[in-house]
Amino acid sequence: MFPQPNRGKSSLFSGSIPTSQKQTGYPLKDISWHQGTIKYLLFLSCLVISITNLYPAAAHQVEVAGDVGGTLHVEPNDNPQAGEPSQVWFALTRRGGRVIPLSQCNCQLAVYAEPYAAGEPPLLEPQLESVAAERYKGIPGAEVVFPKPGIYELQLNGKPVSGGRFKPFKFKFEVTVAGGSTDNTRNLRDVNGDLVDGESQKFPIWAIALPIFAFITILVVVLQSMKGGRE
């Protein structure tokens, strides 16, 4: 006489959702999840590769002494090569942004190979000339040929001449020189005493291996996630 809710409830739910819909719902959900995961991992891969592609580019070096600011740039692309001419220039500005041309500055440039002892004579003393670079005109610049790979220190000393109104200054810039492509820089010891191969210094191994490792890692993660979804 009493209704049998269990049977009615069972028949209600079993009849409301066809078996075909139950079986097809979960694969669609897995496919959507995999697509989102793959897109995210591809984004990370592109990010890693874009970061490694920034090498060996570097920002201009900036130093400040008293009321004078100095910016160093080395052509090409702040990535000098040993045994090859590099154009260096210094953008000198007074407080407020006014440019100090070489005509108003008694400037001297000295190049040291690090490490060096106090009082040691400079390795190079390039002659400064007035150059135009970017938005600057008449600033001091010089052509420098770094003999070997390694780390160098560029010292720029300056004091005002007639018409110049700024305090004497001394700037120290550190420059890393990579091995050049010429035969005279292959398999030489750099200025720091380490054996360097020219081609490997021009583009380091880690810059090649890192994107490959990232791609393999992403591929393994995707395959494992797809395998887990099927199970």
Side-chain angles (χ1 to χ4, degrees):
M1 296 178 63
F2 293 97
Q4 299 181 2
N6 292 337
R7 292 183 181 178
K9 191 173 184 179
S10 176
S11 61
L12 177 63
F13 282 94
S14 62
S16 60
I17 303 178
T19 304
S20 60
Q21 293 183 8
K22 292 180 180 180
Q23 294 177 348
T24 59
Y26 289 102
L28 291 175
K29 182 178 180 181
D30 292 339
I31 292 174
S32 177
W33 183 85
H34 288 313
Q35 289 178 346
T37 304
I38 293 173
K39 289 180 180 180
Y40 177 71
L41 293 175
L42 288 176
F43 168 75
L44 291 180
S45 177
C46 294
L47 181 62
V48 171
I49 294 174
S50 64
I51 292 174
T52 58
N53 286 339
L54 292 177
Y55 185 89
H60 299 351
Q61 297 186 49
V62 179
E63 293 286 337
V64 178
D67 59 346
V68 178
T71 302
L72 166 67
H73 180 70
V74 183
E75 295 286 358
N77 301 322
D78 288 307
N79 183 37
Q81 307 292 314
E84 301 178 7
S86 298
Q87 183 70 31
V88 302
W89 52 263
F90 303 86
L92 304 177
T93 56
R94 293 173 51 188
R95 186 173 300 170
R98 187 172 182 179
V99 177
I100 301 175
L102 181 61
S103 59
Q104 297 181 6
C105 179
N106 182 10
C107 297
Q108 290 85 34
L109 175 62
V111 180
Y112 295 85
E114 292 189 347
Y116 64 93
E120 180 180 338
L123 180 66
L124 301 170
E125 292 183 292
Q127 183 67 35
L128 292 171
E129 298 179 352
S130 296
V131 299
E134 296 183 357
R135 61 185 180 88
Y136 304 101
K137 294 182 179 180
I139 58 176
E143 185 180 272
V144 179
V145 179
F146 298 96
K148 294 182 179 181
I151 301 176
Y152 294 83
E153 184 178 273
L154 274 60
Q155 292 187 9
L156 181 67
N157 299 293
K159 57 184 180 180
V161 295
S162 178
R165 297 182 180 180
F166 57 89
K167 297 179 181 179
F169 61 86
K170 182 177 183 180
F171 293 139
K172 295 181 180 180
F173 299 95
E174 186 177 276
V175 175
T176 300
V177 177
S181 58
T182 56
D183 293 336
N184 62 346
T185 61
R186 296 177 64 89
N187 297 325
L188 294 178
R189 291 191 177 275
D190 67 7
V191 294
N192 306 109
D194 298 324
L195 187 63
V196 177
D197 178 77
E199 293 297 330
S200 63
Q201 281 294 309
K202 194 169 184 178
F203 198 80
I205 297 176
W206 68 262
I208 302 175
L210 185 59
I212 297 175
F213 177 76
F215 175 77
I216 294 175
T217 303
I218 291 170
L219 182 61
V220 171
V221 172
V222 171
L223 293 177
Q224 289 181 347
S225 64
M226 294 179 67
K227 182 179 179 181
R230 288 195 298 267
E231 294 177 353

